[in-house]
Amino acid sequence: MTTQNPTQAVVLAGGQGSRLRPYTDDRPKPMVEIPGTGTPIIGHQLAWLAAEGVTDAVISCGHLAEVLQEWLDSADLPLNVTTVVEKEPLGRGGGLKYAARHLPHADRPWYATNGDIWTRFSLRDMAAFHAERDATATLALARPRIPWGAVETDAFGHITDFIEAPPSPYLINAGVYVFSAAFTALLPDLGDHERTTFPRLAREKRLAGFPLPQGAYWRAIDTAKDLTEAAKELAAQRS
């Protein structure tokens, strides 16, 4: 078991973001700015990774890759960044493996994050959790709020209460990961690791789930409404 905190990360930034149009008509999803910050999602992510001890990041680009690369070239970044572009679609698992091969230290653990996640929590704590369980892969787990109001009823069918946007009863994959060095070789060259590698590791008890700490900020930016909500939450934090 190693307690070494990763200093390298992969950011998956190749999604088209069709549900975020028209914001994504001329830029990839991670290049959409959080209103009121003047910084794209990817900028917030890189700042967070650097603050958590990451010195090297590989960004996997796809849709409108040149827009992202141009911003990275002009930005004052807090860590070393390499970009990779798949010559042909490899699927989520294949793309992750291709990007991981460009990490500077193949024999060390690494973080990965989806490019549309805006979050803040201790990656160092997550890495310690991963090491304590001697896991091959660890997923951050979030409990998002259901976007609809919920209704509570009694056994007879009377409505007893209305709850606005309650927390989901289920934990979900939060799109942030810690991987051991050995994980890279287990990824498919082509296809989706969430249908192959993750289920296999789960059966072998080598896949761990790290619940986000109480009060940790997490939001997936999928729609224009998510952008609006993120801006509101940011304004509330600042006030």
Side-chain angles (χ1 to χ4, degrees):
M1 185 180 79
T2 177
T3 55
Q4 178 188 44
N5 286 330
T7 59
Q8 53 186 1
V10 168
V11 180
L12 298 173
Q16 294 194 11
S18 55
R19 290 198 293 160
L20 258 176
R21 288 179 178 151
Y23 297 100
T24 51
D25 284 344
D26 62 353
R27 68 196 63 196
K29 197 175 181 182
M31 278 301 299
V32 174
E33 291 184 4
I34 304 292
T37 70
T39 303
I41 299 167
I42 190 85
H44 293 284
Q45 286 192 324
L46 293 175
W48 173 52
L49 290 171
E52 291 293 324
V54 174
T55 58
D56 295 272
V58 175
I59 300 179
S60 177
C61 309
H63 175 64
L64 296 173
E66 64 281 359
V67 177
L68 177 52
Q69 289 171 321
E70 188 176 318
W71 181 82
L72 291 167
D73 289 342
S74 64
D76 182 16
L77 300 174
L79 71 180
N80 301 315
V81 168
T82 303
T83 58
V84 297
V85 182
E86 298 169 29
K87 297 179 179 65
E88 56 191 42
L90 300 173
R92 290 193 297 177
L96 190 60
K97 188 173 193 175
Y98 179 68
R101 285 175 174 156
H102 292 78
L103 290 167
H105 307 290
D107 59 340
R108 298 183 192 174
W110 47 290
Y111 297 118
T113 180
N114 295 344
D116 57 358
I117 300 297
W118 193 26
T119 186
R120 286 292 184 278
F121 64 92
S122 173
L123 282 174
R124 292 179 176 92
D125 286 352
M126 185 176 172
F129 179 97
H130 170 83
E132 284 165 6
R133 283 146 188 81
D134 201 19
T136 301
T138 298
L139 287 60
L141 304 176
R143 195 180 295 278
R145 291 196 168 273
I146 297 171
W148 308 282
V151 176
E152 285 192 345
T153 62
D154 63 18
F156 196 67
H158 293 120
I159 291 176
T160 58
D161 202 2
F162 295 90
I163 306 170
E164 188 62 33
S168 167
Y170 296 104
L171 291 165
I172 67 161
N173 180 349
V176 181
Y177 313 89
V178 184
F179 296 135
S180 70
F183 178 76
T184 308
L186 302 178
L187 286 163
D189 293 318
L190 188 68
D192 187 350
H193 61 295
E194 295 195 8
R195 296 187 178 185
T196 54
T197 311
F198 280 175
R200 172 185 161 190
L201 290 175
R203 288 192 299 270
E204 296 171 355
K205 299 289 192 290
R206 293 196 289 157
L207 187 68
F210 175 76
L212 293 190
Q214 188 74 25
Y217 184 81
W218 180 87
R219 180 173 286 279
I221 308 295
D222 287 321
T223 64
K225 183 180 179 185
D226 291 324
L227 279 177
T228 305
E229 293 296 324
K232 283 182 189 172
E233 287 159 354
L234 183 66
Q237 289 170 16
R238 286 174 172 172
S239 61

